Amino acid sequence: MGHATHFLSRLERISPSQIELAKQLYYNPPLVRAILRGFGGAPTDRVAIALDAGPQAPHVIVTREGAFVTCLGPGMSVGDKPVMSRQALDDHMHFHRRLLATYEHIEGLSFERWGRGGIPGLMRRKAEALSRQDVEAMVPLQPLMLLDLCLRFVTAAKAARKHRNYLRDVMRKNPKLGRQKRNSGLLKEYWRNTWDVANYHVLLALGGPGDFLRLQTEDGLEEDPYLFLHIYNMLDGHVGLGLRSLWAAGMRGPLLIDQCEQLIAESLGNMCFAEIVATMTVSALRHPELYPRVDAFLRRFIEDEDPERVLICGYAMLVLLTSENLLELQREVGWQHYQQLYKDLPSGHRYYFERAEDAPDNLLMTIATYADNNYHTDLDAMWHLFACLPWLAKAEVHEIYLPAALIKPSDHLESAIRMLTGSSAVYGPGAPVRAELKPGRNALCSCGSGQKYKQCCLQVEA
């Protein structure tokens, strides 16, 4: 008998009003998981939730992941399990009901605040223009959007992969991709999908490794190591996209290391190697307990025969050894980008600065992560990506997005074409190979034997 069936069969032990409460919890897994995240208690696998006040109260037993195990009647012992009192349960439920009401209210303010489609619709429309203020407003609602975000993340990743492969093939056949009006819609869709993947991934990662592992194993999503690492985003080679996915990867670091090493064992190309090394590096920076394992991995490849892999491992080791020094370098890069992008700001603007020392550190750090260059075609851009990792590993989620007042519109078509051009050079299909022309069955064989092809080499080939 499974846990769910066992639990439901034991509800006869409690009163009708308590059954109603137990079923209310049972049929709302996101609420239960959110409540358990806010409950401390001893670090055990199971928790007892009281359905009434007093020492003789009945309890439901649930796992830390929110699965219901059994129901204990009045006076039955819960053993050594931590107990959430009825008062604590009511407080948590009241808080989350208010949070849910806020979420529904925000969803209802469709055209006033978030626009058509609510929060996911806003994320899709804004793409790279999603602002710091937008993210700060979304973060408290993340637990209530978790499954929806994950499904959207998977859908966007698959759509981006489909569009990427199709457009690469079109580009191979006709390099003048941007001048073909029939492809402009696909290019914009591809651009939005790549940013959807990055932004959904960032919000998903706020729950830490546990949410991703549970969603991957319990909610029926297909197992795909590339998807649940973040490689679909990194394949595009865009520094800004890559760094947001690396922030999310760093949050989930302990979950990723085994998958990283398995992918390396598959003899992937050097660019996939670089992306996996960057994932392991940011994971070690955010989770110091992973440093020895990542360091041993890098030392194994630092003497590789491939000079490009040696360079990539050298970047990673330099980042791990000199992370504090790189913060100042990133600040300088951010100031350079600030001078290029915002030279037209009026002197009275909130974010107008004449000198680098007047600008807040975190603002310059964030500006540095919005680089539009492509590390598939520019090794300097690859170093830029690695050099940002020490700050990225410590940044709060809102800090990796620019304030709304500093976001500038970009040319989606040009940006998408640059991404495709760079990634096609690394991953795209090669030039078509013309099949060897063979003689007709009754023609003379091309080997020079003087016999008909059907009586000579065709029989050998068969």
Side-chain angles (χ1 to χ4, degrees):
M1 183 186 296
H3 280 165
T5 306
H6 179 84
F7 168 76
L8 293 171
S9 70
R10 296 299 185 268
L11 289 179
E12 61 187 20
R13 295 171 170 171
I14 58 180
S15 69
S17 62
Q18 292 163 352
I19 290 175
E20 187 65 30
L21 175 59
K23 285 187 174 181
Q24 184 181 348
L25 294 171
Y26 177 76
Y27 289 115
N28 196 342
L31 174 64
V32 174
R33 287 193 287 264
I35 288 172
L36 290 173
R37 272 198 293 268
F39 175 66
T44 58
D45 294 334
R46 297 180 178 183
V47 175
I49 300 177
L51 299 177
D52 211 338
Q56 299 297 311
H59 296 80
V60 292
I61 307 300
V62 298
T63 68
R64 288 281 182 175
E65 290 73 35
F68 281 70
V69 178
T70 191
C71 178
L72 302 179
M76 295 181 69
S77 171
V78 300
D80 59 355
K81 301 173 186 66
V83 177
M84 178 184 290
S85 68
R86 175 61 191 267
Q87 182 61 53
L89 174 64
D90 288 342
D91 290 344
H92 281 294
M93 290 183 69
H94 177 66
F95 170 77
H96 287 286
R97 283 194 188 107
R98 286 180 56 198
L99 197 61
L100 181 59
T102 303
Y103 176 58
E104 291 172 346
H105 176 66
I106 290 172
E107 288 283 283
L109 296 175
S110 53
F111 292 100
E112 292 180 24
R113 176 70 173 93
W114 302 103
R116 179 169 40 83
I119 292 174
L122 173 78
M123 296 172 75
R124 180 158 183 78
R125 285 192 305 280
K126 287 204 167 185
E128 82 284 7
L130 196 69
S131 71
R132 182 172 292 184
Q133 291 89 336
D134 293 327
V135 173
E136 286 175 336
M138 293 173 185
V139 165
L141 306 174
Q142 189 264 7
L144 300 174
M145 299 188 291
L146 191 59
L147 183 57
D148 185 37
L149 281 172
C150 193
L151 294 172
R152 288 176 180 272
F153 169 67
V154 173
T155 301
K158 290 179 178 178
R161 175 174 57 182
K162 178 181 177 181
H163 291 144
R164 183 191 300 121
N165 292 341
Y166 172 78
L167 290 166
R168 279 180 187 162
D169 191 48
V170 171
M171 180 175 282
R172 177 175 62 81
K173 294 174 182 175
N174 185 354
K176 296 180 180 179
L177 176 67
R179 296 192 179 94
Q180 297 176 342
K181 289 186 178 180
R182 66 177 179 273
N183 290 318
S184 61
L186 274 178
L187 285 165
K188 289 181 180 178
E189 189 71 9
Y190 163 61
W191 175 256
R192 287 195 191 98
N193 280 326
T194 56
W195 277 95
D196 279 352
V197 174
N199 292 329
Y200 292 150
H201 194 187
V202 165
L203 279 185
L204 273 172
L206 289 173
D211 279 343
F212 258 89
L213 186 60
R214 179 182 55 73
L215 288 165
Q216 186 175 2
T217 57
E218 292 184 13
D219 289 326
L221 300 175
E222 65 175 340
E223 291 191 14
D224 186 335
Y226 289 93
L227 179 60
F228 282 90
L229 274 168
H230 66 284
I231 298 296
Y232 283 145
N233 236 166
M234 297 284 290
L235 288 176
D236 297 294
H238 187 280
V239 169
L241 278 167
L243 284 170
R244 273 141 198 82
S245 281
L246 283 168
W247 182 90
M251 290 289 287
R252 298 161 43 222
L255 180 65
L256 302 181
I257 296 298
D258 288 339
Q259 288 178 310
C260 285
E261 292 184 339
Q262 288 170 13
L263 286 173
I264 289 293
E266 294 178 8
S267 302
L268 300 173
N270 284 349
M271 200 52 61
C272 279
F273 178 83
E275 292 153 356
I276 291 169
V277 168
T279 298
M280 298 181 78
T281 304
V282 74
S283 298
L285 289 166
R286 184 172 279 274
H287 305 275
E289 70 275 13
L290 299 176
Y291 180 91
R293 190 171 172 184
V294 174
D295 182 63
F297 170 85
L298 293 173
R299 291 180 186 279
R300 194 165 80 239
F301 284 95
I302 198 68
E303 296 180 0
D304 197 277
E305 294 180 359
D306 188 325
E308 196 167 322
R309 290 197 171 197
V310 172
L311 179 66
I312 291 163
C313 288
Y315 282 167
M317 294 185 77
L318 188 60
V319 166
L320 291 173
L321 293 172
T322 63
S323 57
E324 293 301 321
N325 297 335
L326 291 175
L327 295 176
E328 184 57 35
L329 174 63
Q330 183 179 346
R331 195 182 192 284
E332 292 174 7
V333 171
W335 176 247
Q336 292 170 8
H337 283 293
Y338 173 86
Q339 290 178 304
Q340 294 169 5
L341 295 171
Y342 306 111
K343 57 186 177 184
D344 297 330
L345 284 180
S347 57
H349 194 280
R350 177 183 176 185
Y351 294 107
Y352 174 80
F353 307 105
E354 290 188 352
R355 303 176 305 166
E357 50 267 34
D358 296 334
D361 284 352
N362 267 345
L363 179 63
L364 294 183
M365 300 294 198
T366 306
I367 291 172
T369 68
Y370 269 78
D372 195 26
N373 44 354
N374 193 294
Y375 51 82
H376 284 164
T377 54
D378 182 1
L379 279 179
D380 288 341
M382 176 67 77
W383 168 239
H384 177 184
L385 180 130
F386 271 91
C388 288
L389 296 185
W391 174 80
L392 197 73
K394 299 177 182 179
E396 297 294 330
V397 61
H398 64 277
E399 293 174 341
I400 65 174
Y401 290 90
L402 282 173
L406 289 181
I407 290 176
K408 290 193 167 188
S410 64
D411 187 331
H412 294 177
L413 289 179
E414 287 301 318
S415 297
I417 290 170
R418 278 199 301 274
M419 284 203 304
L420 287 165
T421 302
S423 61
S424 293
V426 177
Y427 304 107
V433 178
R434 187 178 297 277
E436 180 184 354
L437 292 176
K438 295 181 180 180
R441 287 175 54 84
N442 291 312
L444 290 177
C445 188
S446 57
C447 73
S449 66
Q451 292 182 308
K452 290 183 178 181
Y453 176 56
K454 67 180 181 182
Q455 296 169 338
C456 187
C457 289
L458 179 60
Q459 295 183 1
V460 176
E461 291 169 5

